[in-house]
Amino acid sequence: MLRIAIQGTAQDAAARQSLVDAFTEAHPDIPVRLQAIQSADWGDFFTKILTMTAAGTAPDVTYVATEGAQLFAERMAEPLDRWVDGDHTEVADYFEDVHPSLIDSFMYDGSLYTLPLDFNAANMYLNLDTLRSSNLDFPSEDWDVEEFESMLRTMKEHQGTDFSPYYWTNRLFGGIVPWLYANDTSILREDRFDGGSWLWDRFYSADQLAERRGGYRWTTSNVSSDAVGETFEMLNRWVREGLSVRPEEGGGNALVGLFASSRIGATPAGGYWAQGLHEAGMTEDRFDVQYFPRWRSQRHQFGSAGYAMMRSSERKEQAWEWLKFTASKEGMELAFPSPQTTPTRRSMATPEFYRETGPERWKVFYDTLDEFPDSGPIPAPPQQAEIENALARNVATAMGGSQAQLHDALDRLDGELTAAMESPA
């Protein structure tokens, strides 16, 4: 029995039954059992998988997001190099269809650990009802942070007291990190591992590779840089001036309803939000999406996810068959029948895919990777849990008070990130 762990509920597992059925039809000799693990967030899910691994009850395959990519590579996942190399003709169409930035985000120390299946970039959703009632035009693709702030001020002038021009959550994805990337900086110093030519040279052309090597390597805190302080100060000012809410902890569960009722003007989110807004009753003429505003750069943040083969598994051959099938066009169409996320296969980003949900500028979701090839994954080293906890705790403090309180929070964040990066994963 091939045991496959996913984050979610029994209902989430049931939604994948068509995928399991199709795999079983293709591989009747490989019985599959999906194990849905309920958790508060990705970090909680990874902790539970770590506990299962320590107890000797780890699954054979686990669905892993960018937040846990390097943790799994360091401690639990099997590198896919020999499997990909051995079946390179069979998986070639997958790599031809998937942007190299997504593959790069699951490389670690020269090896590949996941065939990413879905992703989301932090684009900017805008409430068209609010733009119209504020006499604002939809922004251009090359808009900048000054235009964005001016838009927030105009919204605030035209809307009621229960309206928030900008809403954001306090986490690695869609929190302060997209603004840091737009300001050409990050909370961690970013480098690259060597290696990876075994994959890049086989599947991608030279003009696609740029800085592709052996995966992202985050080394230590970068919080003491002027650009990080500048980014925190801008968001703190927006909060103080009523242009932005104080960031919400977690995933912002109330956000869809607030946006659909036009109580929010703008918020960062990915392609997954198209389905959420559609289910909340928002028609495609009431919202749209644009690239994140430009600052010193227009680099975007993204997160991806896919299945990882567990190092402890005694069924690696069967696990590889699952990974290959789920990365096939057939498997991905079964897994993602509607835009609850952005499929990593470019050929699935079509007008038909977004026909029922919108938005009009749906091409932004995948084109983010093409238009901004320096866009990068969530800064998630093997110590991701400590990094995210330190960031959320100190962002909450930094956005809640005076300039002195902000700078104290930055000093604490710098020390906590430095200590986290010096500790083993």
Side-chain angles (χ1 to χ4, degrees), residues 69-303:
Q70 296 200 356
L71 169 66
F72 273 70
E74 183 78 17
R75 299 183 58 177
M76 292 180 285
E78 175 80 3
L80 301 180
D81 306 15
R82 70 181 179 95
W83 308 94
V84 170
D85 188 59
D87 282 343
H88 63 270
T89 56
E90 197 173 345
V91 298
D93 83 291
Y94 166 82
F95 289 101
E96 289 169 5
D97 207 10
V98 175
H99 197 281
S101 290
L102 301 171
I103 304 298
D104 201 9
S105 68
F106 280 99
M107 296 285 287
Y108 183 71
D109 201 8
S111 291
L112 179 67
Y113 285 86
T114 296
L115 301 179
L117 304 179
D118 72 295
F119 81 99
N120 289 282
N123 301 124
M124 191 65 74
Y125 276 77
L126 297 167
N127 188 304
L128 298 184
D129 293 341
T130 299
L131 289 185
R132 286 188 281 263
S133 63
S134 301
N135 300 316
L136 287 164
D137 295 327
F138 195 84
S140 64
E141 294 181 355
D142 64 345
W143 65 324
D144 60 26
V145 66
E146 291 182 359
E147 292 176 76
F148 182 76
E149 181 173 326
S150 175
M151 180 188 74
L152 299 184
R153 292 190 184 283
T154 302
M155 286 180 178
K156 187 174 186 295
E157 291 171 4
H158 283 79
Q159 305 303 317
T161 56
D162 61 346
F163 175 82
S164 298
Y166 181 60
Y167 187 109
W168 54 299
T169 54
N170 191 4
R171 55 177 181 165
L172 278 173
F173 182 83
I176 199 166
V177 175
W179 291 109
L180 292 166
Y181 278 23
N183 202 17
D184 201 24
T185 190
S186 181
I187 56 171
L188 299 175
R189 292 182 188 171
E190 186 178 295
D191 198 355
R192 297 294 183 94
F193 287 105
D194 291 329
S197 60
W198 65 271
L199 183 146
W200 302 122
D201 293 348
R202 184 185 291 278
F203 296 112
Y204 292 97
S205 59
D207 63 329
Q208 293 176 296
L209 298 185
E211 296 297 317
R212 315 295 176 197
R213 284 187 284 165
Y216 285 84
R217 180 172 176 262
W218 291 282
T219 56
T220 191
S221 173
N222 190 52
V223 174
S224 62
S225 72
D226 291 342
V228 171
E230 180 183 33
T231 308
F232 271 73
E233 287 170 358
M234 181 185 73
L235 287 164
N236 172 277
R237 177 170 55 79
W238 287 355
V239 171
R240 286 187 285 107
E241 295 179 4
L243 302 179
S244 167
V245 297
R246 286 185 61 181
E248 296 285 335
E249 298 291 340
N253 293 330
L255 179 54
V256 170
L258 291 171
F259 192 91
S261 60
S262 297
R263 292 171 60 190
I264 293 171
T267 192
Y272 62 89
W273 230 41
Q275 184 70 26
L277 293 177
H278 173 72
E279 292 174 356
M282 251 192 140
T283 53
E284 62 179 287
D285 61 337
R286 294 184 56 212
F287 72 96
D288 213 336
V289 65
Q290 187 54 283
Y291 298 122
F292 210 80
R294 174 172 47 83
W295 197 346
R296 285 186 171 83
S297 77
Q298 207 167 358
R299 186 189 194 205
H300 282 60
Q301 173 203 41
F302 66 82

